[in-house]
Amino acid sequence: MLDAETKPDALGERAAAREQLADAIVAVDVARERLAEAKRAAEAGWDRAIHIGDRLERLRAELPQLPATPPAGAVLAALTRAGDVLEVERSPRAKAEAEIEGLEASLESIRRARDAAEQEATRRKEAIGTAEAHVKRMAAAVLQSSGATERLLHGLLDLERQVVERRLGLAFLLRHGAVPVALLAEVGKLLDGHSLPARATADHWSRHPTTTAWADTLKELERDPDARLPG
């Protein structure tokens, strides 16, 4: 008979959990690329706005000094040109005013587009947070389906019973002066130390190699869906 951890349905569930985690990791990468795209667009908007703003500032400074009438040659050429419609070249000031008007309209459009890009960047940044949270859930799902809980539980109650019996026996011997002198320090340290790991004492054991191994595995799973589990 197949062990519960190697039954086809269990193996399929684990493979599916790893695949979902892989998809979630890819989704985070895509979300980050989309954020970078929006940021590049917003930065380009700032650059274009600065460029146009500089051009506008120069034109406005030059405007009072520009002639308000067309060049004399342009007027004479228009008058001697055949046709019923008189087309005279615009004055330098009129040209500058028209350019300023066009640049102002462009600047306003760019500002609106830049604001939209920045708002989109904010939304895409929030999407990264959502995607990363999904990765964490999928990484936990990989651990949940891995059989690790069942493996760690297997035989644990019997082991704990033996540990309790040994600790109680040592406590009795110590209390009645029946522990060899050479072992007094070792027994005292064992019995005076923190209790065995439990939910309420998790912080005390946070630096234990076993705890750090599981923590490192969870972090690795969030980057690599094929990361190996402890043990």
Side-chain angles (χ1 to χ4, degrees), residues 79-159:
L79 287 170
T80 57
R81 196 161 37 240
D84 296 331
V85 179
L86 182 66
E87 294 183 359
V88 181
E89 180 182 335
R90 290 183 300 173
S91 70
R93 182 178 296 182
K95 288 181 180 179
E97 288 173 343
E99 185 177 357
I100 287 173
E101 185 178 353
L103 289 174
E104 286 175 340
S106 295
L107 183 59
E108 182 58 30
S109 296
I110 288 171
R111 284 172 175 167
R112 287 197 300 268
R114 185 195 64 210
D115 290 344
E118 290 178 340
Q119 291 171 8
E120 181 62 18
T122 298
R123 286 192 290 269
R124 293 184 180 189
K125 184 176 182 180
E126 292 171 352
I128 289 177
T130 301
E132 288 176 338
H134 186 55
V135 166
K136 292 182 182 298
R137 290 194 298 271
M138 291 302 97
V142 167
L143 293 179
Q144 187 180 60
S145 66
S146 68
T149 301
E150 293 82 355
R151 174 171 57 83
L152 293 171
L153 274 176
H154 181 69
L156 182 60
L157 290 177
D158 185 57
L159 289 174

Side-chain angles (χ1 to χ4, degrees), residues 2-3 13 32 39 43 51 55 97 104 108 112 117 140 142 144-145 150 153 185 206 210 216 219:
L2 289 172
D3 183 83
E13 183 181 352
R32 287 175 177 159
K39 284 184 174 180
E43 289 169 0
H51 175 74
R55 175 63 178 158
E97 288 173 343
E104 286 175 340
E108 182 58 30
R112 287 197 300 268
V142 167
Q144 187 180 60
S145 66
E150 293 82 355
L153 274 176
S206 62
T210 298
D216 291 344
K219 290 179 182 177

Side-chain angles (χ1 to χ4, degrees), residues 185-218:
E186 182 178 353
V187 172
K189 182 179 179 181
L190 175 68
L191 296 179
D192 293 339
H194 214 280
S195 61
L196 292 175
R199 188 181 340 199
T201 62
D203 290 343
H204 176 78
W205 297 91
S206 62
R207 296 183 181 276
H208 190 278
T210 298
T211 303
T212 57
W214 280 103
D216 291 344
T217 296
L218 187 57

Side-chain angles (χ1 to χ4, degrees), residues 2-11 14:
L2 289 172
D3 183 83
E5 292 191 10
T6 58
K7 287 182 179 179
D9 56 345
L11 296 177
R14 291 176 197 174

